[in-house]
Amino acid sequence: MQVFQAPIEVPVTNDEFNKDELGLQWQFNHNPRNEGWSLKRHKGMITFKTYQAENFKKARNTLTQKTIGYRGVATLKMHFKEMVDGQRCGLACMGRKNWLIGVHQRGNKRYIYLENSDNIVVQQPIKDNAIYLRMEADVISNRYQLSYSNNNKDYKTLGNPFSMKGAYWKGVRIAMYGYNLLKDNGCVSFASFEYEH
């Protein structure tokens, strides 16, 4: 009997957000508010209006992908010039517990922060309007790390490595998010998502 050897294929993961529709690799965490996201507001970006939510779990228009393989690096470029007070936005590693790296604004000042299931672990002031956020995953050793960069070359880790547990039937996911603790206000734009696995 002849055995057919099929090549290993994986879904498309990278996105430059320069098409009229979202790629099939993306899933919204909750039913989206379609008036709150756009691929046309800023060319080559996806832009979220940020709606009020008391925490990340309840945030609308969180866009996710499943993690793939045993090891991977996901890098997100984020523009936050249109941020307002109360707003939080960035990159999340989602599971039974959620780890977030992002930017939040309070008192007209912006901070890069690391969050573990609603608890801010680390924060420091930031002055830029754009940043690269990165998640490194090693599923074999269950070791994840979040970091950031101003130039996509020199990355600084934020906080210590952490472990993850899959969330019920969904497994571990990568997400980009934006919400506001105070009210429906503000925007965040994501220019690129690159996932090497």
Side-chain angles (χ1 to χ4, degrees):
M1 181 174 83
Q2 187 175 11
V3 177
F4 176 71
Q5 296 291 328
I8 296 173
E9 301 284 352
V10 296
V12 172
T13 54
N14 296 351
D15 206 329
E16 298 291 331
F17 305 109
N18 52 13
K19 297 182 179 177
D20 292 335
E21 296 180 353
L22 274 174
L24 296 176
Q25 69 268 36
W26 294 110
Q27 309 96 37
F28 283 101
N29 189 42
H30 301 297
N31 290 335
R33 289 180 65 172
N34 285 320
E35 73 279 9
W37 66 274
S38 173
L39 290 163
K40 297 178 180 178
R41 179 177 175 127
H42 299 295
K43 188 175 181 181
M45 299 186 195
I46 183 168
T47 300
F48 295 159
K49 293 179 183 177
T50 49
Y51 296 111
Q52 194 278 329
E54 62 185 84
N55 56 43
F56 169 73
K57 281 186 179 179
K58 296 184 179 180
R60 300 293 295 272
N61 290 358
T62 298
L63 201 57
T64 77
Q65 281 193 33
K66 298 287 289 262
T67 53
I68 297 175
Y70 295 113
R71 293 182 177 91
V73 178
T75 304
L76 178 68
K77 185 177 183 183
M78 181 175 76
H79 292 261
F80 47 93
K81 187 176 182 179
E82 298 174 279
M83 279 189 84
V84 297
D85 276 4
Q87 192 174 345
R88 294 183 178 185
C89 50
L91 178 71
C93 186
M94 296 176 63
R96 199 163 291 243
K97 291 186 176 181
N98 301 309
W99 285 84
L100 289 69
I101 185 170
V103 175
H104 75 95
Q105 182 168 316
R106 184 180 68 245
N108 291 317
K109 294 182 180 179
R110 293 174 181 164
Y111 304 85
I112 186 157
Y113 75 102
L114 179 72
E115 179 181 317
N116 175 13
S117 295
D118 300 334
N119 298 310
I120 291 183
V121 180
V122 181
Q123 69 174 359
Q124 54 195 46
I126 188 171
K127 294 182 179 179
D128 302 302
N129 287 318
I131 199 167
Y132 293 87
L133 304 171
R134 175 169 283 179
M135 181 198 76
E136 297 177 66
D138 185 336
V139 177
I140 295 173
S141 61
N142 195 11
R143 184 182 186 278
Y144 296 77
Q145 179 74 62
L146 297 171
S147 58
Y148 69 97
S149 172
N150 295 322
N151 57 15
N152 201 22
K153 294 178 183 177
D154 305 308
Y155 277 85
K156 299 176 184 176
T157 59
L158 202 59
N160 297 318
F162 54 92
S163 60
M164 291 292 294
K165 288 184 179 180
Y168 313 106
W169 54 269
K170 296 177 182 178
V172 176
R173 290 181 291 160
I174 310 164
M176 61 181 92
Y177 69 92
Y179 68 99
N180 194 311
L181 292 167
L182 304 176
K183 58 183 178 180
D184 295 354
N185 197 12
C187 289
V188 60
S189 298
F190 301 100
S192 63
F193 178 86
E194 186 175 310
Y195 185 18
E196 300 174 3
H197 52 81

